[in-house]
Amino acid sequence: MFIRGFKEGEESVLREVFCSSIHGNTEKFYTERQQNAWAPADYDEEDWSRRIRQLHPYVMEDQGKIIGYADLQDDGYID
C-alpha cells in the first residue's frame, strides 16, 4: 500500500470509494434510508469535486488502485 496526496481528476474515483464504503460497510449500524441520505446515488458532481479539491485528501493506493482516502482539516479533525 502507498499513501500519497490527491491528484486533480481523481474526484469521481473518490466518490466511488466513499459510496462503496457507506453502502458496503455500515449496514450493521445504519438503515438503508440513513445510508442513502449520507451517500445518495444522485449528487452534484461539481459540488463534490470542489469539496474534494478543497480538502486536499491523502489517497491510499494498493497495486495502483485507489482503495481509500482521508483528510486532515485545519481544526485537526481527521475525516
Side-chain angles (χ1 to χ4, degrees):
M1 282 189 272
F2 177 69
I3 297 175
R4 60 166 176 77
F6 161 78
K7 297 175 186 171
E8 241 182 84
E10 296 176 327
E11 298 87 350
S12 63
V13 176
L14 297 188
R15 175 68 186 189
E16 290 174 23
V17 169
F18 173 75
C19 287
S20 68
S21 178
I22 301 304
H23 291 281
N25 297 321
T26 65
E27 64 274 353
K28 293 180 184 179
F29 309 104
Y30 298 97
T31 66
E32 184 177 352
R33 184 175 176 194
Q34 289 171 312
Q35 291 171 325
N36 289 333
W38 193 0
D42 294 329
Y43 69 100
D44 183 325
E45 291 180 41
E46 185 54 40
D47 184 55
W48 171 265
S49 294
R50 185 176 32 260
R51 180 173 171 247
I52 289 296
R53 288 190 300 266
Q54 289 173 347
L55 291 174
H56 305 287
Y58 295 96
V59 174
M60 181 184 293
E61 282 187 12
D62 187 23
Q63 298 179 0
K65 181 180 178 184
I66 294 174
I67 60 171
Y69 71 95
D71 63 85
L72 175 60
Q73 298 177 11
D74 291 338
D75 63 0
Y77 181 74
I78 298 172
D79 191 17

